[in-house]
Amino acid sequence: MTIGRQPLTFHQVDAFTDRVFAGNPAAVYVLDAWPDDQTLAAIAAEHNLSETAFVVPGAGGRHELRWFTPAVEVELCGHATLASAHVLLNEMDSYEAPLTFVTRFAGELGISASDDRLWLDLPARVAQPVDHDIADVAAALGGEAHAWYAATNYLAVFDSAADVAALEPDMRALARHSARTNLGFIATAPADDGQHDFVSRYFAPGHGVDEDPVTGSAHCTLAPYWAERLGKRELAARQISTRGGELLCRVDGDRVHIGGQAVTFATGTTFLDPGTRT
């Protein structure tokens, strides 16, 4: 029975796609006030999606935003930011673009709407060549990357999209390394389909997500790398996970603008036990 239990509405949104069953799913809660952190973490673990986003709206288009995997709170999440903006702008009244999300670790993130997409204004995270021995990481990731870089994630650059698609990482080994470094693992290569500039996959078993379907935050590193390598500021990207997703990237100094679409898959209600602090 749900009598006496506190109801919270959520939306489940597929981000970086224009159709359901593709892109990256995120649950989004729009709250009146913050529950305690234990409750937020428990809700995210219950959904068991790569991220669950929590929004507390504020005045003047400025809204607080946090993201949780099933295991940890993360400092930046692109697809759940896109999903949160989609919910405010398409599933609720009284919100319009542009939006500003105020985050704990990544500063203020702007959201605008144009070209039939929502555009995220995210911080660039430029990778530098790795200057230490990572033979164990390379073995765990598999394949033969021709270059390794690091920022807030490792970035392994491969020769072909087929090389990236064929990777079968040792997730336990990657998780052990992530526990020591707190880094995830990006694999990337030039695209070969005539439509995109580059492809990627992203692995974060140390954060409770073996392979993320589409990772906006990884493109804060990918976009600057490929912009410099290809000599262009605007890039089309595809993340070649099983679900797959499409991203447009624009590099602007120390910011990366990432454009994508999103579609609502489901809405529902979570019931919290009496006494939960909100």
Side-chain angles (χ1 to χ4, degrees):
M1 297 178 66
T2 59
I3 295 176
R5 302 175 70 192
Q6 179 182 4
L8 297 177
T9 299
F10 69 88
H11 295 77
Q12 185 167 318
V13 175
D14 291 335
F16 293 116
T17 182
D18 62 357
R19 63 188 189 281
V20 297
F21 307 126
N24 201 352
V28 178
Y29 287 80
V30 181
L31 307 171
D32 294 328
W34 288 111
D36 60 77
D37 288 3
Q38 183 178 0
T39 298
L40 296 175
I43 291 171
E46 190 77 9
H47 280 289
N48 201 32
L49 299 170
S50 55
E51 263 86 16
T52 297
F54 301 93
V55 180
V56 173
R62 294 167 54 83
H63 315 296
E64 295 181 69
L65 173 63
R66 297 172 70 182
W67 318 272
F68 288 75
T69 77
V72 297
E73 183 174 10
V74 296
E75 64 176 29
L76 179 63
C77 179
H79 89 276
T81 301
L82 178 64
S84 298
H86 171 83
V87 168
L88 291 180
L89 296 173
N90 295 281
E91 301 294 343
M92 306 190 74
D93 297 328
S94 303
Y95 299 97
E96 60 183 23
L99 304 171
T100 299
F101 287 122
V102 181
T103 72
R104 290 190 167 191
F105 307 110
E108 295 188 357
L109 309 178
I111 308 293
S112 60
S114 65
D115 305 325
D116 196 33
R117 289 175 172 82
L118 293 176
W119 287 87
L120 314 181
D121 178 4
L122 305 180
R125 293 174 162 178
V126 178
Q128 302 297 327
V130 171
D131 59 1
H132 56 275
D133 182 16
I134 55 166
D136 58 336
V137 183
L141 186 61
E144 292 291 335
H146 77 254
W148 281 85
Y149 300 82
T152 51
N153 297 286
Y154 280 111
L155 175 64
V157 182
F158 291 82
D159 291 328
S160 72
D163 291 337
V164 174
L167 292 174
E168 297 181 0
D170 180 339
M171 296 298 179
R172 289 187 179 181
L174 289 183
R176 288 194 296 270
H177 193 83
S178 184
R180 297 194 301 270
T181 64
N182 200 35
L183 301 181
F185 308 89
I186 306 168
T188 190
D192 58 7
D193 60 2
Q195 301 178 39
H196 302 92
D197 295 293
F198 64 90
V199 301
S200 68
R201 293 172 69 187
Y202 181 70
F203 310 100
H207 292 162
V209 181
D210 282 356
E211 180 168 4
D212 197 34
V214 194
T215 315
S217 61
H219 288 74
C220 294
T221 296
L222 285 161
Y225 170 81
W226 286 106
E228 181 177 358
R229 177 167 165 176
L230 300 178
K232 55 193 301 187
R233 292 176 52 198
E234 299 190 2
L235 305 118
R238 179 160 180 81
Q239 196 152 331
I240 54 173
S241 63
T242 299
R243 291 173 64 96
E246 307 283 337
L247 310 90
L248 296 182
C249 304
R250 297 172 180 164
V251 178
D252 183 13
D254 63 355
R255 308 296 293 182
V256 175
H257 303 275
I258 299 176
Q261 297 174 299
V263 58
T264 301
F265 169 68
T267 62
T269 304
T270 293
F271 294 96
L272 300 184
D273 289 330
T276 301
R277 288 183 295 167
T278 59

